[in-house]
Amino acid sequence: MKSFAQWFGILLLASTGSSFAEDLTVMTSYPEDVVSRFEEAFEKAHPDIHVQILWRMPHDALPYLLQPQQGGVDVYWTPSQGNFLALKNAKALGPIGIDRSGLPDKIGTALISDPDGLYLANETAGYGMVVDPDKLGKLGVAEPKRWQDLADPRLQGEVALPVPSGVGFAPMLIDQLLQAEGWEKGWNTWRAIALNSKLIDKRGNAITDEVSSGRAAVGLTMDFFAASNVASGGKGKFIYPLKTAFNPAQIGITASTTHRPAAETFVSFILSEEGQSLLFHPAIRKLPVRPSVYSKAPEGYTNPFTLGIDARYDPVPGLARSGFNSALFDAAITRRQDALLKAWASVRKAENGASPSEQPLLQQARTALEALPVAEPTADSPLVKACEQRRKNTSAETQCAAAEREWDAFFTAHYADAQRLADTVLAARQGKAP
Amino acid sequence: MKRLAVLVLLLPALVSAAGISTGDTSRRALSKAMEELDDAQRERFASGRGLFDQMWVIAPSTDEAVDGLGPVYNRISCVACHPGNGRGRAPDAESEEMRSMLVRLSIPGVGEHGGPLPHPAYGEQLNEQGVPGVPGEGRIAVKYQDIPLFLHGGTGVTLRKPSLVWREAHYGTPDGVLTSARIGPALVGMGLLEAVPEAEILKWADPDDKNQDGISGRANTVWDAAVQQNALGRFGLKANVATLRQQIAGAFIGDLGITSPLFPHENCSMAETACARTVNGGNPELSAVQLDDITFYHQTLAIPERRQRDTAQVQRGQQLFQQAQCAACHRPMLYTAANAKPDLLSQRIIEPYSDLLLHDMGEPLADGRPDFAANGYEWRTPPLWGIGLAEAVGDQVHYLHDGRARNLLEAIVWHRGEAAASQQAVWAMTVEDREALLAFLRSL
């Protein structure tokens, strides 16, 4: 081994038992592609601070951060506006004493950072459609401009639609249309789109995979999934519809941190020119909130500050009812997509060449297919609160599950009614009993 | 091509890698599913991919399927060390953290079942991180000494010779410890390598160098934890693991601190009392179904197709690769068994450029740490398929077991031992020929 040691200089015991860097605990739900690049760049810039990442999805992070001393977490950094609001209300966030010059509080009319400065936006991402232009061309369908364009019957089976109860970003996608169109019209648009859709209940990047692999012509997704896929060599084109929403991600420092200067150094880095430019990486492709860095963006990069689309969205009521909306979506669409599809197919068939005497029955059928068991709820409705809390306590789960069962029965009955009415018209037309 | 013709004549049922390969050359080139997967298999592949990309969570958590990280660990996801299923890298400076690199530890002697003897306080691997309340085990940094060299024709190469330096040791002075630093290797084609018949690998072994070409090639015999008996080793940098499932389960416990049906005990040593007291994420933390899904994912990742195979430079490089005897270890062609599972892996002709055997690579690359039958100088021939895509897949990639080489030429120049003659042949090449050889490697 002597010669081996000479060649390799195997192991120098330089020092033991001492720590050279201050530990900073950061909780996040960002994926590895984001976390590792920021972590590495930060530690290069600040070798005196060692970042330990604790990873939790937002629903799992909130109870952790509401523990005494926030479970030892110093910085919370994640796309979950609801959690930041809840942490602020619980006084679990402390002040962020950093220089905020060059960091606007709003994109367009949408507020992205806390007005009291307890959490600050660090990036944003918009909702839209990733399309395969070649496949659309073969189907004879123009590139969609509005969400409603996805209801085109020629797109049957060609739309990848995320299920809000299963895909983290989807509740806000669903709700932005409900806010933009109104409750009833919005739900009918979602049901019309669902007629063409494959429902996706996995991770967000599964949507881009569906389009990139040719299994779908359109996918409803967030801009960065599509942009990073394209920048990494994948297929597809991202389109923002005329009305959509942008979802900001934020960063805050816990009230109980004992590493405030290090935490502020980390936040400053994330929001610095260097940190914000990391978002341009082909594997990330999120939208910086520091407008000045867009001058260094790759060609064709979206700048939300100059995009000029209608992105009015109020996240506060939307966040409050996301569990409620998800439960309603599952009852109306996820669990009954086949029945909905079959009933609509029969109604449309019956409508083809329908006589005036058949119209009342067909109108009844349409009404049944578009019926909703609940009016638009207010944010403080007990059921809205129960559905939001259902993962956290048993009585809330019981209450929300009971509502879901009622909705299940409602949609089952209404879709069956529509089916029966359409079948009646078709059978009568052929001189048969239904 | 002559060898292929012989194979095809002898085994007419064999088919090429069409349908299980990909022509993708993007950042995601090593992350594609084999095209022949059916819908149910695609679901399973997606499930395995989800686990591979998963950032694991400290227990207790409401996400019980993905909790159990630690108590001591290196990184919080598989993909952290194998970005895009590609290669990791070594720190470039002593001040840098190990991000996609780890250090194996042992003490002299033989452990249970013939493997390395774990260090009593630090176990078999340095876990730098600990969950809150549990100290990480410490930190080892990498220092480099530059070695400038000039190859024939004036090509300059600066090798960087690494030394490992203990910076922190939280469970006592690690006296007498044997170390071996490793970067995360690329992960494609693992199912196909598992499907190569054992007899085919052993047939190529020449432990006593009977053909007197200066190249031996030994099989490693290792402990198969699933069947509780010895088996041929074919995975790991020293061919120290018998099966892909065990390789993955080993990475889960070693790198993430996640227990599985194969390794049901947390990796806390007797010295790590806080580690032993920590809440776990279930017993085991990774279920058998999850382990099977992530194994299936790795079995069915599409292998990259050769590129520019017909260009004159690549063909010249391929000739030089043969002439320099690189192919004596980096065996171009193997075939898979008729009973390989999943079925789509069976009876395939594959081009992994490995013999899956151990070779003495000489003192410069030695780690001095035995691992089952592998001595401190021996390494398993790493497969070269996909190596030409390494830079497309990763932001910054390194080569060789410890990432000391920053490009393919440096990696070749480090070769010694049984590969010394090949290294000398490359050293003596004209600049043009060396470029052709590298072009060939980049085509893989």
Side-chain angles (χ1 to χ4, degrees), chain A residues 305-335:
Chain A
F305 294 98
T306 59
L307 196 59
I309 62 169
D310 185 352
R312 282 172 292 177
Y313 178 69
D314 186 349
V316 177
L319 288 164
R321 70 189 188 189
S322 66
F324 182 96
N325 286 350
S326 296
L328 190 56
F329 187 100
D330 282 343
I333 295 171
T334 316
R335 288 191 287 273

Side-chain angles (χ1 to χ4, degrees), chain A residues 121-193:
Chain A
N122 77 94
E123 50 95 353
T124 191
Y127 290 94
M129 315 163 201
V130 58
V131 303
D132 175 347
D134 294 341
K135 200 160 190 201
L136 286 177
K138 281 179 193 156
L139 295 167
V141 179
E143 287 182 4
K145 291 188 171 59
R146 309 171 309 147
W147 299 109
Q148 292 82 347
D149 294 340
L150 303 182
D152 186 327
R154 290 171 295 179
L155 288 172
Q156 171 81 59
E158 293 290 347
V159 179
L161 173 63
V163 174
S165 58
V167 180
F169 73 77
M172 189 169 161
L173 165 72
I174 300 302
D175 196 65
Q176 57 80 27
L177 189 63
L178 301 180
Q179 286 196 25
E181 289 202 334
W183 183 254
E184 290 182 2
K185 197 172 170 202
W187 276 112
N188 283 332
T189 301
W190 283 124
R191 280 188 278 191
I193 292 172

Side-chain angles (χ1 to χ4, degrees), chain B residues 258-272:
Chain B
I258 303 276
T259 59
S260 66
L262 282 183
F263 299 109
H265 304 297
E266 296 286 5
N267 54 348
C268 307
S269 73
M270 295 290 281
E272 295 170 327

Side-chain angles (χ1 to χ4, degrees), chain A residues 76-356:
Chain A
Y76 187 45
W77 173 48
T78 218
S80 177
Q81 208 161 347
N83 276 10
F84 282 102
L85 280 168
L87 291 169
K88 180 185 175 185
N89 290 337
K91 303 197 184 316
L93 295 175
I96 307 174
I98 66 162
D99 178 6
R100 292 173 58 182
S101 52
L103 292 167
D105 291 333
K106 291 180 177 177
I107 295 178
T109 57
L111 201 60
I112 54 172
S113 290
D114 176 37
D116 301 322
L118 289 177
Y119 54 88
L120 305 176
N122 77 94
E123 50 95 353
T124 191
Y127 290 94
M129 315 163 201
V130 58
V131 303
D132 175 347
D134 294 341
K135 200 160 190 201
L136 286 177
K138 281 179 193 156
L139 295 167
V141 179
E143 287 182 4
K145 291 188 171 59
R146 309 171 309 147
W147 299 109
Q148 292 82 347
D149 294 340
L150 303 182
D152 186 327
R154 290 171 295 179
L155 288 172
Q156 171 81 59
E158 293 290 347
V159 179
L161 173 63
V163 174
S165 58
V167 180
F169 73 77
M172 189 169 161
L173 165 72
I174 300 302
D175 196 65
Q176 57 80 27
L177 189 63
L178 301 180
Q179 286 196 25
E181 289 202 334
W183 183 254
E184 290 182 2
K185 197 172 170 202
W187 276 112
N188 283 332
T189 301
W190 283 124
R191 280 188 278 191
I193 292 172
L195 295 177
N196 286 336
S197 296
K198 305 170 180 191
L199 300 180
I200 307 292
D201 61 2
K202 295 191 200 74
R203 290 167 178 257
N205 55 13
I207 304 278
T208 35
D209 277 359
E210 287 293 308
V211 176
S212 197
S213 65
R215 290 192 293 275
V218 185
L220 283 74
T221 188
M222 300 196 79
D223 48 16
F224 64 90
F225 284 121
S228 62
N229 184 52
V230 171
S232 300
K235 195 174 171 186
K237 174 183 175 186
F238 188 79
I239 298 168
Y240 292 100
L242 296 172
K243 285 184 181 177
T244 188
F246 281 84
N247 187 12
Q250 284 116 351
I251 189 164
I253 297 174
T254 60
S256 59
T257 179
T258 54
H259 303 282
R260 184 164 300 282
E264 289 181 348
T265 303
F266 184 78
V267 175
S268 290
F269 178 81
I270 298 289
L271 300 176
S272 68
E273 292 261 344
E274 183 184 358
Q276 291 281 289
S277 298
L278 291 174
L279 297 166
F280 296 142
H281 191 283
I284 303 177
R285 295 276 150 142
K286 297 208 178 204
L287 307 178
V289 291
R290 183 179 282 281
S292 61
V293 301
Y294 283 95
S295 61
K296 292 177 271 181
E299 201 180 334
Y301 211 89
T302 300
N303 181 344
F305 294 98
T306 59
L307 196 59
I309 62 169
D310 185 352
R312 282 172 292 177
Y313 178 69
D314 186 349
V316 177
L319 288 164
R321 70 189 188 189
S322 66
F324 182 96
N325 286 350
S326 296
L328 190 56
F329 187 100
D330 282 343
I333 295 171
T334 316
R335 288 191 287 273
R336 329 223 113 65
Q337 192 189 20
D338 285 350
L340 185 63
L341 190 55
K342 207 170 151 215
W344 265 117
S346 299
V347 170
R348 282 181 178 146
K349 189 175 171 192
E351 284 179 335
N352 191 15
S355 66

Side-chain angles (χ1 to χ4, degrees), chain B residues 191-208:
Chain B
L192 290 160
L193 295 180
E194 189 162 51
V196 175
E198 186 171 321
E200 177 66 10
I201 297 169
L202 295 176
K203 192 171 74 182
W204 202 259
D206 184 15
D208 303 318

Side-chain angles (χ1 to χ4, degrees), chain A residues 1-21 23 25 28-33 35-44 47 49-61 63-64 71-72 201-203 205-206 208-210 212-213 215 224-235 281-283 391-392, chain B residues 24 26-29 32 39 42-43 46-47 49-51 53-63 66 69 73 75-77 79-81 83 89 92 94-97 99 129-132 139-140 143 147 159 161-170 172-175 177-179 363-369 376-377 393 395-396 401-402 404 414 416:
Chain A
M1 279 297 148
K2 191 177 172 191
S3 56
F4 163 76
Q6 280 171 344
W7 233 103
F8 194 73
I10 178 172
L11 192 73
L12 306 173
L13 276 171
S15 62
T16 57
S18 62
S19 182
F20 290 90
D23 287 326
T25 304
T28 186
S29 64
Y30 279 117
E32 179 67 28
D33 276 333
V35 173
S36 60
R37 288 183 174 86
F38 277 92
E39 211 183 341
E40 189 171 345
F42 176 73
E43 285 182 1
K44 264 190 186 158
I49 301 172
H50 168 75
V51 173
Q52 180 173 28
I53 296 292
L54 295 190
W55 197 90
R56 284 188 182 240
M57 289 293 283
H59 67 269
D60 198 20
Y64 192 99
D201 61 2
K202 295 191 200 74
R203 290 167 178 257
N205 55 13
T208 35
D209 277 359
E210 287 293 308
S212 197
S213 65
R215 290 192 293 275
F224 64 90
F225 284 121
S228 62
N229 184 52
V230 171
S232 300
K235 195 174 171 186
H281 191 283
R391 282 174 182 263
K392 298 166 200 160
Chain B
D24 194 312
S26 73
R27 291 181 64 83
R28 299 186 180 169
K32 301 286 176 181
D39 286 348
R42 279 188 186 279
E43 284 284 309
S47 171
R49 179 178 58 193
L51 294 165
D53 291 343
Q54 176 67 44
M55 309 280 270
W56 290 80
V57 175
I58 292 165
S61 156
T62 57
D63 289 337
V66 296
L69 179 73
Y73 60 98
R75 300 291 286 166
I76 70 172
S77 67
V79 71
C81 291
R89 71 177 188 88
D92 283 322
E94 198 179 341
S95 59
E96 280 186 31
E97 302 272 334
R99 303 204 160 274
Q129 309 283 346
V131 301
R139 191 164 81 87
I140 292 179
K143 278 177 75 165
I147 306 173
L159 301 184
K161 187 172 90 170
S163 309
L164 300 181
V165 184
W166 278 92
R167 281 298 180 201
E168 299 168 32
H170 294 162
T173 306
D175 289 331
V177 70
L178 304 175
T179 60
E363 222 155 68
L365 287 175
D367 65 352
R369 180 178 179 272
Y377 294 81
V393 169
D395 290 338
Q396 189 184 354
H401 64 277
D402 57 5
R404 69 180 70 189
W414 274 109
R416 297 285 199 287

Side-chain angles (χ1 to χ4, degrees), chain B residues 79 101 127 162 170 231 248 284 309 352 371 393 411 415 418 427 433 436:
Chain B
V79 71
M101 182 178 190
N127 291 127
H170 294 162
I248 292 167
R309 197 190 274 261
D371 203 332
V393 169
H415 282 51
E418 294 176 37
W427 191 299
D433 278 354

